[in-house]
Amino acid sequence: MWILEKNTPQQPGGLKQRVISALLYCTGEMKQLHTHMKDKSFLLQFSEWCLRGISRVILLNNPLSGALILAALLLKSPWQALLGMLGLLASTLTAIILGQDWEEVSSGLHGFNGMLVALLMGVFSSAGDWYWWLLLPVCFGGATTTFISSSLAPVLERWDLPVSVFPFNTVIVLYLACTGSSNPYFPNYPAQPPGAPESTNHTQLHVPQLLQGVVLGVGQIFACGTLGPSLLILGAVFLFSPVLAIHALLGSVISTVAVVHVIPVLCPVFLLPEVALPSAIDGAVSTGSELCNLFAVCPLTSL
């Protein structure tokens, strides 16, 4: 009886410790899970690699963060989620076939460029959702990013430079240059649709909309322009690193304040289909220099 009474006060502390341990297990890079998955089936390992590849788009390396981001894409548009996953699968499988470094493949480094290409192809396509012909350039473009990445890596390593999203920028610019708005098979939105206003500058600012734009700026990294998916993506960043989530919000705040002053000039250039202009520009500088490259292709679409 004494033993039971002595152990009883320790139970809440033990439960609290287990909860904290479980939360810590799910944060960061989840290296314990990565080690645990090494002796599992290839399908389970490949699923983890793909989820890490999704999170790599936003500088993370966490499969649970990748799952949250995938849920956000499905909530925003199942078609966009399908395109993103196909691009990710194409680039990751190509890396496996080419015999790329196994540690890089398993950490998702060969998947995020393919996903970015696929997402932007879907955003710029004017053929609408469930246009199945678009799957061809999505798969081909995703695989091409791996070829470009594997070719540039040995060259850039001499100067200690990362390949980063250069393959994504290269493929998406070439795709847009080769298709255009009048292509019969892969039509894209024009840089400025006919009848679009030359300027959307307003003298009255709506603070609630600006605050919402700060959150949307994080979601725009994955071309999500609605509040719910953007909050999920921000939650994915917070799960990996609260500090990085704060940096993402700070970057979005700074870009939101900056764009209020320059929107009359940039509006004709940065006009994206079905995406609010402030949100599109907010996402460009949310979490650092690598995410600036994410929408660096936008000005080139007006050429």
Side-chain angles (χ1 to χ4, degrees):
M1 185 66 181
W2 178 80
I3 297 177
L4 292 176
E5 291 177 354
K6 184 177 180 179
N7 291 337
T8 300
Q10 296 178 358
Q11 290 178 359
L15 178 60
K16 180 180 178 180
Q17 186 65 32
R18 288 195 295 268
V19 172
I20 294 176
S21 299
L23 291 176
L24 292 177
Y25 181 82
C26 298
T27 59
E29 297 183 0
M30 296 187 67
K31 293 182 179 180
Q32 293 180 348
L33 175 64
H34 190 62
T35 303
H36 178 72
M37 294 292 291
K38 289 184 178 180
D39 59 347
K40 303 300 179 182
S41 65
F42 175 78
L43 184 60
L44 289 177
Q45 293 185 57
F46 187 73
S47 300
E48 186 214 354
W49 303 344
C50 290
L51 290 176
R52 290 183 181 274
I54 295 174
S55 66
R56 282 286 188 179
V57 173
I58 197 169
L59 307 179
L60 313 180
N61 185 15
N62 186 304
L64 288 183
S65 296
L68 284 177
I69 295 172
L70 180 59
L73 292 175
L74 288 170
L75 181 62
K76 173 62 173 64
S77 171
W79 171 244
Q80 280 289 98
L82 174 62
L83 293 179
M85 286 305 300
L86 282 178
L88 177 74
L89 291 173
S91 57
T92 304
L93 288 174
T94 303
I96 294 175
I97 294 174
L98 293 178
Q100 296 300 304
D101 183 76
W102 200 252
E103 189 61 32
E104 293 182 356
V105 175
S106 62
S107 60
L109 288 175
H110 288 283
F112 68 94
N113 275 298
M115 186 172 194
L116 284 173
V117 167
L119 290 176
L120 265 293
M121 284 184 179
V123 167
F124 286 110
S125 175
S126 61
D129 292 350
W130 310 111
Y131 181 67
W132 299 107
W133 284 108
L134 191 62
L135 301 184
L136 295 177
V138 162
C139 294
F140 181 75
T144 303
T145 60
T146 302
F147 283 100
I148 297 176
S149 178
S150 60
S151 301
L152 288 177
V155 178
L156 296 180
E157 282 179 356
R158 300 177 182 177
W159 296 278
D160 196 24
L161 295 174
V163 177
S164 189
V165 292
F166 183 81
F168 150 68
N169 287 326
T170 303
V171 172
I172 196 65
V173 168
L174 291 176
Y175 170 78
L176 294 174
C178 294
T179 52
S181 58
S182 59
N183 190 284
Y185 300 104
F186 308 111
N188 297 315
Y189 287 101
Q192 184 172 358
E198 295 183 359
S199 176
T200 58
N201 187 29
H202 301 286
T203 57
Q204 184 178 3
L205 295 178
H206 300 279
V207 177
Q209 292 182 356
L210 290 178
L211 294 177
Q212 178 175 314
V214 171
V215 180
L216 293 179
V218 180
Q220 285 293 345
I221 300 171
F222 289 87
C224 290
T226 53
L227 186 59
S230 298
L231 287 173
L232 276 178
I233 294 173
L234 183 60
V237 181
F238 185 84
L239 178 64
F240 177 76
S241 170
V243 175
L244 189 58
I246 295 175
H247 282 214
L249 288 175
L250 287 177
S252 191
V253 168
I254 294 172
S255 59
T256 300
V257 173
V259 79
V260 169
H261 300 282
V262 300
I263 191 172
V265 179
L266 294 181
C267 182
V269 178
F270 282 91
L271 192 58
L272 294 179
E274 302 176 357
V275 176
L277 175 62
S279 300
I281 302 179
D282 289 347
V285 290
S286 293
T287 54
S289 59
E290 183 172 1
L291 297 183
C292 289
N293 292 331
L294 186 60
F295 281 94
V297 69
C298 295
L300 298 178
T301 59
S302 61
L303 298 179

